[in-house]
Amino acid sequence: MEIRLKTLAPLWTGGVDQTCDRLHETGLIGSLRWWYEALVRGLGGYACDPTSEDRCPDKDGKHCVACELFGCTGWARKFRLAVLDEKENPIQTQIQANQTILLRFIPLRPVAEQEWCLLDMTVRWIAEYGALGGKTVFKPTDEVARQNAIHHQDIGLIEYVRDNHPCTKTLATLTSYITLPKWRSGPHRYKDSQGKIHDYSWASLQNFWCVKGRYLARQNANASTFNRVVGRNESKNQAQRLAVDNHTNRWLAGSQQESKKVFSFKQPARTFGFVNPDLINFDNMKARLRGVWQNLDDQEFLTGEQILKALGASGGGQQ
């Protein structure tokens, strides 16, 4: 399968000393896998956290449907990824904005048609509503003197151009595939060896939201619409502190060990994130956004369910 993309911002794929010295295919694969897992969960399937103690295989030797494609201990990834330029030459340097790139997925073992469909839907989801690669946690700024600072740049925005392997499977067929009894199943939470509970069920298309055409940013030293939405103090010298210390703000704002759950980009403007039904639902999230965008219309706030229907209608799994 080949998917042609246009980059709207640079892609960060990893490197030495926090610099993106060249293209690292593994960085792209890791990002694709994260979104693929969230899609699987959103369709009602199980996808493990491959970075955790609860990763596949389980005690019975079974692995999840995401590990089936991307690999796990004792089960190699089923494809090799080649990243090519518009002349189909391998790209070795960091990918910059306004480049045409070709993602060529080369099968190493048989890949099910449903897996190709899910992978294509994943890339469509990222292109239309999310971001690809690392450093997507950078935040925009409206401060003129700081707009070119690396930590205020947009990273990871792409445009889906076309693929050579259109999906012919229905969403119902894809759902049936990812819930087959042969795959590992279970809750998306576990207790680690230290007794701490980890819950990653929020990382699902069903909990995803997106607003296009709007962004959150820092306006000046004392005002930040981004911080206001995630519950952090707006003052720059107090920005790592929560405005109100509660579970919801801690979850949204994240920490050095855990990602924030709201992401925003300036050019083109796009803001997306996740809710957690145990802490904050879509209506709560919309209320926070309306605290900075007073004229936000309900139709602008797209939920995962709406996005799934759009992805299906656009070719990534027919309705």
Side-chain angles (χ1 to χ4, degrees):
M1 182 172 74
E2 296 179 352
I3 300 178
R4 190 172 297 272
L5 305 170
K6 179 183 178 182
T7 57
L8 305 179
L11 298 187
W12 198 95
T13 60
V16 179
D17 298 327
Q18 298 298 305
T19 61
C20 192
D21 53 338
R22 61 179 177 83
L23 172 67
H24 296 259
E25 288 87 352
T26 53
L28 287 182
I29 292 171
S31 181
L32 288 170
R33 176 174 184 144
W34 191 93
W35 288 96
Y36 187 95
E37 292 164 356
L39 175 61
V40 166
R41 297 181 195 118
L43 287 169
Y46 173 80
C48 77
D49 176 356
T51 66
S52 74
E53 295 179 11
D54 197 43
R55 60 187 176 273
C56 293
D58 65 11
K59 58 182 177 58
D60 298 318
K62 296 175 73 173
H63 58 253
C64 68
V65 69
C67 285
E68 170 71 11
L69 181 63
F70 284 89
C72 62
T73 301
W75 183 260
R77 181 168 14 100
K78 293 170 73 172
F79 66 88
R80 179 170 65 86
L81 176 64
V83 185
L84 311 174
D85 63 21
E86 56 188 333
K87 295 182 179 179
E88 300 194 15
N89 296 315
I91 296 176
Q92 297 179 334
T93 58
Q94 181 188 12
I95 299 174
Q96 301 296 334
N98 299 312
Q99 280 187 243
T100 296
I101 64 173
L102 182 67
L103 301 184
R104 178 172 290 165
F105 299 90
I106 304 165
L108 303 176
R109 296 199 308 281
V111 177
E113 184 64 25
Q114 293 92 330
E115 292 176 302
W116 289 132
C117 285
L118 290 166
L119 190 55
D120 182 69
M121 285 184 70
T122 298
V123 178
R124 288 178 183 273
W125 178 18
I126 295 170
E128 289 294 323
Y129 309 98
L132 179 65
K135 302 300 183 184
T136 57
V137 295
F138 287 170
K139 303 181 292 294
T141 183
D142 289 332
E143 299 171 290
V144 176
R146 300 182 62 82
Q147 287 186 354
N148 293 325
I150 182 64
H151 56 279
H152 290 307
Q153 292 183 10
D154 293 330
I155 302 288
L157 298 181
I158 58 174
E159 177 184 326
Y160 189 105
V161 179
R162 66 176 182 271
D163 71 3
N164 70 342
H165 197 101
C167 180
T168 59
K169 301 295 183 182
T170 65
L171 289 176
T173 299
L174 297 180
T175 299
S176 296
Y177 174 77
I178 66 174
T179 54
L180 287 172
K182 66 179 179 178
W183 309 127
R184 179 186 177 186
S185 61
H188 292 107
R189 57 181 291 153
Y190 69 97
K191 182 185 293 187
D192 67 20
S193 57
Q194 304 300 314
K196 182 180 179 181
I197 299 294
H198 299 264
D199 188 337
Y200 54 97
S201 59
W202 61 268
S204 163
L205 176 56
Q206 289 300 323
N207 295 323
F208 183 79
W209 59 268
C210 179
V211 176
K212 292 186 175 184
R214 296 179 185 262
Y215 69 92
L216 303 169
R218 173 163 293 284
Q219 287 70 52
N220 54 55
N222 297 308
S224 168
T225 53
F226 188 95
N227 282 14
R228 199 182 313 168
V229 167
V230 300
R232 283 183 178 167
N233 195 306
E234 289 192 56
S235 175
K236 186 176 292 187
N237 60 10
Q238 300 285 325
Q240 295 306 311
R241 296 185 179 181
L242 297 175
V244 177
D245 191 353
N246 58 37
H247 291 301
T248 301
N249 286 345
R250 285 200 295 272
W251 185 79
L252 282 175
S255 64
Q256 288 186 335
Q257 292 77 34
E258 186 175 350
S259 172
K260 60 178 69 71
K261 308 305 186 301
V262 177
F263 307 83
S264 198
F265 304 83
K266 193 171 184 178
Q267 294 180 341
R270 174 185 303 179
T271 301
F272 66 84
F274 293 85
V275 298
N276 183 334
D278 292 334
L279 295 173
I280 181 170
N281 60 29
F282 288 127
D283 287 338
N284 301 146
M285 194 68 239
K286 273 193 286 188
R288 286 189 177 230
L289 293 172
R290 285 189 173 122
V292 298
W293 303 326
Q294 286 78 15
N295 62 342
L296 177 68
D297 190 273
D298 281 342
Q299 293 181 342
E300 294 181 78
F301 186 90
L302 303 174
T303 66
E305 184 176 356
Q306 294 170 304
I307 289 168
L308 180 59
K309 291 180 180 178
L311 291 172
S314 65
Q318 303 298 315
Q319 293 289 324

